[in-house]
Amino acid sequence: MSDGGPATSAAARRRMSVEELAIWRTLVDTTAELRRILGAELLRDSGLSPADYHVLLALSEAEDRRLRSSELAATIDWERSRLSHHLKRMEGRHLIRRDECPTDNRGAEVSLTDDGARMFRSATAPHARAIKKHFADALTPEQFEALAGILTALQNHLHPDPAAEDLHD
Amino acid sequence: MSDGGPATSAAARRRMSVEELAIWRTLVDTTAELRRILGAELLRDSGLSPADYHVLLALSEAEDRRLRSSELAATIDWERSRLSHHLKRMEGRHLIRRDECPTDNRGAEVSLTDDGARMFRSATAPHARAIKKHFADALTPEQFEALAGILTALQNHLHPDPAAEDLHD
DNA sequence: CGCGCATGGTTGACGTGTCAATCAAATGAT
DNA sequence: ATCATTTGATTGACACGTCAACCATGCGCG
């Protein structure tokens, strides 16, 4: 119950069925559509892109509303260059600020501006409502439970537990 | 059992739980990671981006390997401008060709070149194997069944059956 | 100290996606 | 026939993401 994947050896050599492939495609399409809808609604209602929102969320949850650039990148799992590009744009819109880091002259400290904090706060409740409306309201509690299990299985498969690394083929 | 959503009135007014929100975020993150991995593998192994693959797949399944531009857009659910931009790039790489449409002088007929067909054919089996490896192999048959149901529920919620449109609030 | 390398971060080039504007051909109403 | 409207498709401007190159600072080690 703690290994990386359930279908390890029995069906592992069989080819993927067309149903499984169809499910994969539907998964990609459906999540893409949901992201598109929610992103458009977020932008319309609050002027923030999903990427903006992600950055502001991490910053607003950080201690003193500030983070080193690389910590921010690690928190939201972005490449550093992507973050750098995006921060430049966000700085231009006065959502965040970049100052030099006192303890490391190479570093940059990213901090939330009052404008940024205000926009994030005004965006958060409508965005949660939109997620509920378009996603959560569609599923039963049983489906939520199943989905949680599916996502855990996928994550375990993508990032196998290093402790159980001895039983590979 | 044919309405647009299961949780129609009872829990509809309740706020979304933090668990539900966390599942949504995990869903977005996990599918994004899967797309990233599979996209990178596809590009590395066959020189095609996921978008290229999508276009070529639609064309190769079309009658006589050719489609009107707008039909192609409808098939893969892309905006026409997006498709136009992408077709220009693909045309530059000789994957597809655009000729004028005989029946409508405004139209463009997009057709697969031999190069494009060959690249698509060589990409298809490794790509299917990658999907199996990173996605399908992680799930049990029961999870597949559950996921199919979840996706159907989400789709029904996004696109409610017009025939049952009389019982809205 | 001085050399080499690792680290933190930025930049530029390029492919990609969206939006609004554009344009020409088709359509339809009078 | 004429003119407004719709339709098929392209374009340009811009936001975004990735990749490789870059630069400066920090750090280990002789």
Side-chain angles (χ1 to χ4, degrees):
Chain A
M1 177 148 308
S2 67
D3 61 322
T8 355
S9 61
R13 207 149 298 277
R14 215 189 47 229
R15 250 173 70 231
M16 182 171 48
S17 76
V18 291
E19 291 87 4
E20 290 166 340
L21 182 54
I23 289 176
W24 164 251
R25 290 210 212 283
T26 309
L27 175 63
V28 170
D29 289 351
T30 305
T31 53
E33 188 172 2
L34 277 169
R35 275 182 291 116
R36 196 176 46 71
I37 292 173
L38 290 170
E41 239 166 80
L42 178 64
L43 190 60
R44 176 169 56 71
D45 295 346
S46 67
L48 296 175
S49 71
D52 298 333
Y53 190 86
H54 213 132
V55 169
L56 295 179
L57 173 62
L59 278 180
S60 69
E61 283 177 348
E63 180 147 355
D64 203 27
R65 285 175 169 184
R66 54 178 54 239
L67 273 179
R68 289 288 297 274
S69 186
S70 50
E71 301 180 60
L72 178 52
T75 304
I76 63 183
D77 195 30
W78 279 18
E79 297 194 7
R80 295 226 264 47
S81 89
R82 176 185 178 184
L83 181 61
S84 183
H85 282 301
H86 203 81
L87 290 180
K88 179 159 54 175
R89 290 170 225 134
M90 292 182 74
E91 199 173 24
R93 295 190 287 146
H94 309 288
L95 297 174
I96 56 104
R97 207 177 35 235
R98 282 190 285 190
D99 324 273
E100 5 187 300
C101 173
T103 75
D104 187 333
N105 284 337
R106 297 167 298 186
E109 267 207 341
V110 187
S111 54
L112 207 50
T113 64
D114 290 347
D115 268 21
R118 189 163 34 243
M119 283 196 73
F120 176 70
R121 225 173 325 105
S122 81
T124 198
H127 186 50
R129 271 195 295 274
I131 295 172
K132 169 168 160 42
K133 172 180 169 191
H134 293 292
F135 170 71
D137 281 354
L139 302 179
T140 66
E142 297 76 33
Q143 287 176 319
F144 267 109
E145 216 169 308
L147 183 53
I150 288 166
L151 293 173
T152 303
L154 288 172
Q155 284 290 340
N156 287 342
H157 192 68
L158 287 173
H159 313 290
D161 186 354
E165 202 53 40
D166 37 293
L167 38 86
H168 53 58
D169 45 358
Chain B
M1 188 55 60
S2 69
D3 60 323
T8 355
S9 60
R13 206 148 299 277
R14 213 188 49 229
R15 249 171 73 231
M16 183 171 46
S17 76
V18 289
E19 292 87 4
E20 290 166 341
L21 182 54
I23 290 176
W24 164 249
R25 290 210 211 283
T26 308
L27 174 63
V28 171
D29 290 350
T30 305
T31 52
E33 188 173 0
L34 276 169
R35 273 181 293 115
R36 197 177 46 70
I37 292 173
L38 291 170
E41 238 166 82
L42 178 65
L43 190 61
R44 176 169 57 70
D45 296 347
S46 67
L48 295 176
S49 72
D52 298 333
Y53 190 86
H54 212 132
V55 168
L56 294 180
L57 172 62
L59 277 180
S60 70
E61 285 178 345
E63 180 147 356
D64 203 26
R65 286 174 167 185
R66 53 180 55 238
L67 273 179
R68 289 289 298 272
S69 185
S70 50
E71 300 179 63
L72 178 52
T75 303
I76 63 184
D77 195 28
W78 280 16
E79 296 195 7
R80 290 218 264 71
S81 90
R82 176 185 178 185
L83 180 61
S84 184
H85 282 301
H86 203 82
L87 289 181
K88 179 160 52 178
R89 292 170 224 135
M90 293 182 73
E91 197 172 25
R93 296 190 287 146
H94 309 288
L95 297 174
I96 56 103
R97 207 178 36 236
R98 283 189 284 191
D99 326 271
E100 6 187 298
C101 174
T103 74
D104 187 333
N105 285 336
R106 298 165 299 184
E109 265 206 343
V110 187
S111 54
L112 206 51
T113 64
D114 290 346
D115 268 21
R118 188 162 36 240
M119 285 196 71
F120 176 70
R121 225 173 326 106
S122 81
T124 197
H127 186 50
R129 271 195 296 272
I131 295 173
K132 168 167 161 43
K133 172 181 170 191
H134 295 292
F135 170 71
D137 280 353
L139 301 180
T140 66
E142 297 77 33
Q143 286 175 319
F144 267 109
E145 216 169 307
L147 183 53
I150 288 165
L151 292 172
T152 304
L154 288 171
Q155 283 292 339
N156 286 342
H157 192 69
L158 287 172
H159 312 289
D161 185 354
E165 204 51 41
D166 37 294
L167 37 88
H168 54 56
D169 45 359

